[in-house]
């Protein structure tokens, strides 16, 4: 006669063991990166497949070059970053950013942009005298930054003026003027030709990077409202080039010093 009792007990233990193992195997495991290694592999003529790669990308390169090299307008003078408190390229970029962004903001918010402030370091090269192309725009503004409009109180515009003086850099500025006194204070701040009102809301267009406090422009984080135009600064330049025959260079003085 077979003793089933001991057999059943053994089976129960076996089933319990399998259940325990399955539970352990199903538990979540956490993996962590402890080390990353890599090496640079240069593409040279000695490697096989280089010619094939070149032949593959050639039509794409030629098509891109055709678009980038198309003449869009004419620049009457060389625009560069030289200058103590303002530069001709900075004034140009600030002016066209305000000009091209304003219709978008006006349509969305039924308000006009008062001021444009960009950063000196964001301008990467010159716009040479002569014909200009889309390639020039990519070289001047290689980043993917977009125009953002921030509503600021007048007291924040005072902060902007003080920031420019403390930085001692010709940050691109449009729509706003002021005077630096002998003791490096600011006075006579005007917006669109009118004296600054501290309690008034002014609308300032800048880059999305600066609007988030980049380059220590923390005054933008005090904004009362924000409008993302989804208009890339580089596209603003290209669109302006397409709209005009000759670039308009405004030589108005924005910042004076006693």
């Amino acid at each position: 006669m077979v003793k089933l009792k001991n057999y059943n007990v053994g089976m129960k233990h076996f089933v319990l063991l399998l259940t325990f193992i399955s539970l352990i195997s199903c538990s979540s495991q956490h993996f962590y990166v402890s080390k990353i290694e890599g090496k640079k592999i240069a593409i040279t003529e000695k490697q096989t497949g280089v010619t094939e790669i070149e032949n593959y990308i050639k039509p794409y390169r030629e098509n891109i070059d055709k678009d980038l090299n198309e003449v869009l307008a004419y620049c009457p003078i060389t625009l560069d970053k030289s200058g103590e408190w303002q530069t001709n390229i900075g004034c140009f970029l600030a002016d066209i950013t305000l000009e091209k962004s304003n219709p978008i903001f006006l349509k969305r918010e039924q308000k006009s942009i008062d001021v444009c402030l960009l950063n000196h370091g964001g301008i990467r090269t010159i716009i040479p005298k002569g014909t200009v192309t889309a390639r020039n725009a990519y070289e001047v503004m290689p980043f993917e930054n977009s125009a953002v409009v921030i509503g600021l109180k007048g007291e924040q515009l005072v902060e902007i003026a003080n920031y420019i003086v403390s930085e001692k850099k010709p940050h691109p500025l449009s729509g706003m003027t002021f005077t630096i006194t002998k003791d490096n204070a600011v006075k006579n701040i005007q917006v669109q030709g009118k004296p600054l009102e501290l309690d008034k809301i002014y609308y300032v267009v800048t880059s999305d990077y600066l609007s988030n406090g980049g380059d220590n422009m923390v005054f933008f984080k005090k904004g009362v409202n924000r409008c993302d135009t989804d208009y890339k600064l580089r596209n603003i330049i290209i669109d302006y080039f397409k709209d005009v025959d000759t670039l308009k260079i405004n030589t108005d003085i924005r910042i004076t010093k006693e």
Side-chain angles (χ1 to χ4, degrees):
M1 182 176 181
V2 179
K3 296 181 179 180
L4 296 175
K5 184 176 181 180
N6 292 337
Y7 175 77
N8 290 336
V9 171
M11 283 297 295
K12 288 180 179 179
H13 289 166
F14 181 69
V15 170
L16 289 173
L17 179 62
L18 288 178
T19 303
F20 179 72
I21 293 173
S22 65
L23 288 173
I24 294 175
S25 64
C26 291
S27 62
S28 60
Q29 300 183 43
H30 300 282
F31 298 95
Y32 303 93
V33 177
S34 59
K35 183 172 63 173
I36 298 177
E37 294 182 343
K39 63 180 180 179
K40 182 178 180 181
I41 302 177
I43 298 178
T44 66
E45 294 295 337
K46 295 180 180 179
Q47 291 178 289
T48 59
V50 173
T51 302
E52 289 80 359
I53 294 174
E54 173 62 27
N55 290 337
Y56 180 80
I57 65 174
K58 183 179 179 180
Y60 297 97
R61 180 192 296 116
E62 290 177 346
N63 190 54
I64 292 173
D65 285 341
K66 180 181 177 182
D67 291 337
L68 292 180
N69 294 333
E70 180 185 359
V71 174
L72 302 178
Y74 177 80
C75 185
I77 61 173
T78 296
L79 302 180
D80 59 35
K81 295 171 64 174
S82 61
E84 182 180 9
W85 294 109
Q86 64 184 56
T87 67
N88 57 11
I89 193 170
C91 292
F92 169 76
L93 294 175
D95 286 346
I96 67 171
T97 299
L98 195 158
E99 176 185 328
K100 302 295 286 184
S101 301
N102 194 54
I104 299 173
F105 186 65
L106 186 62
K107 184 176 181 180
R108 293 185 185 178
E109 304 293 332
Q110 291 74 54
K111 297 180 179 68
S112 295
I113 299 173
D114 301 292
V115 175
C116 176
L117 175 66
L118 303 173
N119 59 327
H120 180 69
I123 307 171
R124 291 300 174 166
T125 189
I126 67 170
I127 298 178
K129 179 181 178 179
T131 56
V132 292
T133 65
R135 187 181 298 278
N136 293 121
Y138 273 86
E139 291 172 346
V140 169
M141 196 69 63
F143 314 107
E144 296 300 310
N145 296 118
S146 298
V148 174
V149 182
I150 305 292
L152 296 176
K153 288 186 175 181
E155 55 194 57
Q156 270 72 66
L157 268 65
V158 176
E159 292 183 40
I160 289 177
N162 286 325
Y163 171 86
I164 292 174
V165 174
S166 64
E167 284 279 300
K168 297 181 180 179
K169 293 179 181 179
H171 293 295
L173 184 67
S174 180
M176 175 175 162
T177 62
F178 62 89
T179 299
I180 305 173
T181 66
K182 293 180 180 179
D183 56 355
N184 285 328
V186 298
K187 69 175 186 179
N188 299 335
I189 300 177
Q190 293 194 340
V191 179
Q192 294 295 330
K194 298 180 181 180
L196 178 73
E197 299 177 38
L198 295 179
D199 294 329
K200 182 178 178 180
I201 302 299
Y202 295 93
Y203 295 96
V204 183
V205 62
T206 187
S207 72
D208 52 355
Y209 166 69
L210 299 177
S211 71
N212 294 318
D215 274 12
N216 205 31
M217 294 191 184
V218 294
F219 38 79
F220 280 124
K221 300 178 75 173
K222 301 176 183 179
V224 297
N225 48 43
R226 174 189 178 106
C227 174
D228 294 291
T229 67
D230 301 315
Y231 199 178
K232 292 189 183 301
L233 298 181
R234 180 176 57 245
N235 290 345
I236 286 175
I237 302 173
I238 294 173
D239 288 346
Y240 178 84
F241 286 172
K242 291 179 178 179
D243 288 345
V244 301
D245 175 78
T246 302
L247 275 56
K248 181 181 178 181
I249 314 301
N250 192 333
T251 58
D252 290 349
I253 304 299
R254 291 113 199 262
I255 302 173
T256 57
K257 189 171 183 179
E258 291 183 338

